[in-house]
Amino acid sequence: MMAKIIGGYFTSHVPGIGGAIMRGDQETPYWKPFFAGFPPIREWLAEARPDVAVVFSNDHGLNFFLDKMPTFAVGAAPSYDNADEGWGLPVYKSFEGHPALSWHLIDSLVRDEFDITTCQKMLVDHAVSIPFELAYPGVESWPLKLIPLAINTVQYPLPSPKRCLALGRAVHRALQSWGGDERILICGTGGLSHQLDGPRAGFMNPDYDMFCLDNLAANPDALTGHTAEQVAELAGTQGVEILNWIAARGAMGDVPLAEVSRNYHIPISNTAAASLLLEPA
Ligand code: DHB
Ligand code: FE
C-alpha cells in the first residue's frame, strides 16, 4: 500500500473565468481559446480518479493580509470554505480536507527544515476554486479532498524559485513516506505572465512563458536561475505566481514526465493564460 502521485495539473486562476462560467460564455470568441484547454484535462481526471489534491497557490488577501504574510503556509483543516475576496464571484463549494495527511506533510516539512505556517483554519479563494470549477464543471460536490499550500507571491520579499522548487521536492519526499493508498493529484495555480497595476499594468511576456512551459517538466531547475525579483521583471509583478507552478513541479518528483496537454492563450483579462497536465511517463 503506497500513495501514488498520478499527475500534475497546472492552470491560470484569473477570477474573470468565474464570471465567464456564470454567464455560460465558454464558447464565445473571447473565451473559447482558453476553455479549449480543459476537455483533455477533464477526460484524463475522469480516468485517473484522484482522491486528494495537493494544491500550491497564493492567497490574495483572504487569509493573510499585508500585515501578516507567511512565506509558506500549509492547511491542516477538516474542511475549507471558499470566499470571494472582492471579485463579485459566486461562493463556490467547500472542500473536504485530509487533516491526517496534512499533519504528516507538516511534520515532514518541519523535520526537513522548512519553517512553514500551519493553518488549522483556512479559507480558499479564486486561486483554488476556479481551477476545480474548470476541472470538474457542474459537479454536486468535489470528488477529491484538498490540501492547500499557500506561497507568498504577493508582498516583498518573495521566496526564490530555487526555494520553491526545494519546498516542492520536500513535499514529494513527505508524500512518499505517507502510509496511505491515496491517488494524489498535484496542482499549481496562477500565472503565467501578468501585471495588474503600476506603470507596467498589462505587461505580459510570451518568451518567458514559453521558457517556463518548455522546461517545467524535463528541466525544472532551469527555472531557478532567476531570483524572485528577476521573475517579477520577466513575468510581471503577478506573473510571479509561476512560483506556485515551480513548487508543484517539485512535488511531482524527479521522475520522467509526459505532457498530456498544454494550452496557452493571450490575453484572458490581463493574463497570459495557460493550462498544462503532466503525468509520470
Ligand atoms: C487576474 C489574474 C490573477 O491571477 C488574479 O489573481 C486576479 C486577476 C487578471 O488577469 O484579471
Ligand atoms: Fe492571481
Side-chain angles (χ1 to χ4, degrees):
M1 197 171 77
M2 199 174 141
K4 194 171 170 203
I5 295 169
I6 59 168
Y9 163 44
F10 303 81
T11 181
S12 303
H13 62 219
V14 179
I17 297 162
I21 294 171
M22 203 159 44
R23 297 186 302 272
D25 277 354
Q26 291 91 333
E27 295 295 319
T28 61
Y30 183 86
W31 287 100
K32 195 174 173 157
F34 171 73
F35 281 95
F38 292 89
I41 294 172
R42 292 173 195 148
E43 281 162 33
W44 183 92
L45 285 168
E47 183 91 0
R49 290 175 295 102
D51 308 305
V52 185
V54 175
V55 180
F56 295 83
S57 69
N58 54 299
D59 182 79
H60 296 71
L62 190 61
N63 294 281
F64 316 122
F65 204 61
L66 304 180
D67 59 336
K68 296 182 194 71
M69 186 57 69
T71 301
F72 299 128
V74 183
S79 65
Y80 303 92
D81 291 340
N82 169 249
D84 173 24
E85 79 278 18
W87 298 100
L89 295 173
V91 175
Y92 293 111
K93 294 178 283 293
S94 301
F95 288 84
E96 192 183 336
H98 191 329
L101 181 50
S102 281
W103 283 112
H104 170 77
L105 259 175
I106 288 164
D107 199 39
S108 179
L109 287 171
V110 171
R111 279 175 206 280
D112 234 337
E113 301 179 348
F114 283 85
D115 306 317
I116 50 172
T117 298
T118 59
C119 303
Q120 299 187 54
K121 285 185 187 167
M122 200 178 195
L123 295 167
V124 290
D125 69 19
H126 68 274
V128 175
S129 293
I130 295 279
F132 287 93
E133 289 291 332
L134 286 164
Y136 297 103
V139 293
E140 191 81 359
S141 59
W142 301 124
L144 75 190
K145 296 178 178 178
L146 174 69
I147 299 186
L149 283 94
I151 297 181
N152 170 27
T153 68
V154 172
Q155 177 170 250
Y156 181 91
L158 306 181
S160 67
K162 182 165 172 251
R163 188 63 173 160
C164 292
L165 185 59
L167 172 76
R169 285 176 170 147
V171 167
H172 182 76
R173 288 192 289 277
L175 294 175
Q176 282 191 306
S177 66
W178 169 245
D181 60 358
E182 291 86 347
R183 298 169 63 75
I184 298 173
L185 179 72
I186 307 290
C187 305
T189 93
L192 292 180
S193 59
H194 63 298
Q195 173 145 347
L196 299 179
D197 41 32
R200 281 208 314 173
F203 172 80
M204 294 173 221
N205 184 347
D207 290 338
Y208 178 70
D209 292 337
M210 271 335 121
F211 164 78
C212 292
L213 287 169
D214 288 343
N215 283 287
L216 193 75
N219 185 17
D221 290 279
L223 278 67
T224 68
H226 299 115
T227 64
E229 289 74 16
Q230 287 170 327
V231 176
E233 199 68 44
L234 284 163
T237 45
Q238 279 69 42
V240 294
E241 290 174 347
I242 189 68
L243 293 173
N244 303 328
W245 289 46
I246 294 171
R249 169 62 189 90
M252 293 188 75
D254 290 305
V255 296
L257 297 175
E259 191 172 301
V260 180
S261 81
R262 182 204 284 207
N263 187 52
Y264 181 78
H265 176 70
I266 282 186
I268 287 298
S269 184
N270 294 293
T271 298
S275 60
L276 180 72
L277 180 63
L278 303 175
E279 67 179 358

